[in-house]
Amino acid sequence: TGGNPFASLTNVSARMNVTSGNGILIAGFVIGGNAPKTVLIRGIGPSLSQFLVTGVLPDPQIAVFSGTTQVASNSQWESGTTTPAQMVATFAQVGAFPLTSGSKDAALLLTLPAGPYTVQVTSLSNATGVALVEVYDASPQSP
């Protein structure tokens, strides 16, 4: 019982072969407490090749849900409301491996209120292949 009340999880990831229909990759996470938290969420396919993974998902798309409501989505990490430079800095901050410029990997940097969420990784073109979903705590750290 008990444990460290100040302990926190900083990253979780899962990898699988993504197909259409029931073969999509789904990960869940919960933001505890009552304050919003900034999270980095990535759907990696093409960049897995640098780790000698074969048969990667060529064009992952991520969608973040709160219950049944979609709160955000992305299909190319260099497009969206966060600039590529901000993404690269966040990757370094949280210890995530870098993504190649022009890759079709997906990423979102979001500030979300406390509560449960799910991330779905699918293919933009209904392709199949190996994908990795990652969720990082990217909240500013206290000194």
Side-chain angles (χ1 to χ4, degrees), residues 5 12-14 24 30-31 52 54 65 68 72 80 84 94 97-98 103 130 138 143:
V12 65
S13 63
I24 66 173
V30 176
I31 296 176
L52 306 179
T54 59
F65 292 86
T68 58
V94 301
F97 61 86
S103 77
V130 177

Side-chain angles (χ1 to χ4, degrees), residues 51-131:
F51 302 108
L52 306 179
V53 176
T54 59
V56 299
L57 189 66
D59 55 357
Q61 175 175 295
I62 53 176
V64 180
F65 292 86
S66 174
T68 58
T69 303
Q70 183 174 311
V71 296
S73 67
N74 180 270
S75 62
Q76 294 191 15
W77 73 273
E78 292 175 294
S79 66
T81 57
T82 307
T83 69
Q86 290 170 313
M87 282 293 192
V88 168
T90 303
F91 298 166
Q93 171 199 330
V94 301
F97 61 86
L99 300 179
T100 305
S101 180
S103 77
K104 292 186 176 181
D105 299 295
L108 287 164
L109 186 61
L110 302 170
T111 300
L112 299 171
Y117 296 90
T118 57
V119 181
Q120 295 183 3
V121 180
T122 58
S123 168
L124 198 56
S125 66
N126 292 319
T128 62
V130 177

